[in-house]
Amino acid sequence: MFNIAIDGPAGAGKSSIAKAVSKELGIIYVDTGALYRAVGLNALRNKIDTKDVNLVTKSLEGISVDLRFVDGEQRVFLGEEDVSVDIRLPEASMAASDVSAIPSVRQFLFDLQRKIANENNCLMDGRDIGTVVLPNAELKVFLTASPNARAKRRYDELIAKGNNVNFDDVLEDLNKRDYQDTHREIAPLKPAEDSVIIDTTDMSFDEVKNKLISLAHARMN
């Protein structure tokens, strides 16, 4: 199997770049952040404090989180409900950051992620893919950008989807998530030692995409 691991902070453009690169390479794209968002969304819907380890762990009983491909597009299912839209709301983003710090949640989703990678050529993005989930991936990339650039991208994405959001609030949420992701005890966000670090602040979408495709082709040959 040929696996690519892409890590990086919120708003670095991981998902959009990963989708384009995986399509170009003809391999499966796995959005692991969406899985954590689904767990966080489930907790929110059940009025559970997303920082309460015991309650969040108990909430995992009897739920299923799955990635399915519908008309060639990856969709996220919580049970039999397609929650691909709901998990992109700001509150789901913060909930994902909270629950991702809980060991039982990471283990709950870890097995699914590894199974997909073991059975498919895939590109997987998240925050600990190169360091924890796929430490032997053939290519590891760490995408980053300045906080303002990342917040602007996330803001534009939310506005385009019809959400009524404020840029300063988006930036504040992003900074909070950065702190949580880099300071958690379990699998903190950091580049793998052998990852290629790419700062996308002043790069266009196509520049980043072509850079990753070039790196992938080099590792494949």
Side-chain angles (χ1 to χ4, degrees), residues 6-12 14 126-128 141-144 181 189:
I6 298 183
D7 293 303
K14 298 187 301 296
R127 284 167 176 71
D128 66 343
V141 175
F142 191 87
L143 288 184
T144 188
D181 289 345
L189 169 66

Side-chain angles (χ1 to χ4, degrees), residues 86-143:
D86 289 357
I87 61 170
R88 297 301 169 186
L89 297 174
E91 55 267 30
S93 179
M94 288 305 299
S97 185
D98 289 342
V99 302
S100 66
I102 299 174
S104 58
V105 174
R106 304 200 72 82
Q107 188 59 50
F108 177 73
L109 297 175
F110 179 81
D111 295 336
L112 171 61
Q113 295 167 31
R114 272 281 178 87
K115 182 175 184 292
I116 294 173
N118 286 336
E119 295 176 354
N120 302 276
N121 294 326
C122 74
L123 188 162
M124 192 175 291
D125 76 336
R127 284 167 176 71
D128 66 343
I129 308 306
T131 54
V132 178
V133 181
L134 301 178
N136 297 316
E138 283 74 14
L139 172 60
K140 302 174 190 174
V141 175
F142 191 87
L143 288 184

Side-chain angles (χ1 to χ4, degrees), residues 213-221:
I213 291 172
S214 176
L215 288 169
H217 283 313
R219 302 294 171 92
M220 287 175 171
N221 297 329

Side-chain angles (χ1 to χ4, degrees), residues 45-200:
R45 287 180 170 181
N46 288 284
K47 305 294 191 295
I48 292 171
D49 180 352
T50 51
K51 288 186 170 68
D52 190 312
V53 175
N54 291 329
L55 289 179
V56 171
T57 298
K58 189 169 179 58
S59 75
L60 299 175
E61 297 175 6
I63 74 164
S64 66
V65 177
D66 195 16
L67 297 177
R68 302 178 193 173
F69 291 86
V70 181
D71 297 328
E73 181 183 359
Q74 178 186 269
R75 308 294 292 179
V76 184
F77 283 78
L78 182 58
E80 291 304 312
E81 180 188 357
D82 184 339
V83 293
S84 303
V85 174
D86 289 357
I87 61 170
R88 297 301 169 186
L89 297 174
E91 55 267 30
S93 179
M94 288 305 299
S97 185
D98 289 342
V99 302
S100 66
I102 299 174
S104 58
V105 174
R106 304 200 72 82
Q107 188 59 50
F108 177 73
L109 297 175
F110 179 81
D111 295 336
L112 171 61
Q113 295 167 31
R114 272 281 178 87
K115 182 175 184 292
I116 294 173
N118 286 336
E119 295 176 354
N120 302 276
N121 294 326
C122 74
L123 188 162
M124 192 175 291
D125 76 336
R127 284 167 176 71
D128 66 343
I129 308 306
T131 54
V132 178
V133 181
L134 301 178
N136 297 316
E138 283 74 14
L139 172 60
K140 302 174 190 174
V141 175
F142 191 87
L143 288 184
T144 188
S146 70
N148 274 351
R150 291 187 285 119
K152 179 65 164 58
R153 292 169 187 169
R154 181 57 53 84
Y155 172 80
D156 289 344
E157 176 186 334
L158 291 168
I159 290 295
K161 291 180 178 178
N163 295 298
N164 183 20
V165 292
N166 177 279
F167 174 79
D168 289 338
D169 292 338
V170 173
L171 178 60
E172 182 180 357
D173 283 347
L174 183 142
N175 285 330
K176 285 180 181 176
R177 179 149 200 199
D178 281 354
Y179 184 85
Q180 290 184 189
D181 289 345
T182 55
H183 287 78
R184 67 186 181 215
E185 291 184 19
I186 305 296
L189 169 66
K190 63 180 180 180
E193 289 184 3
D194 55 346
S195 66
V196 179
I197 299 176
I198 302 175
D199 188 328
T200 68

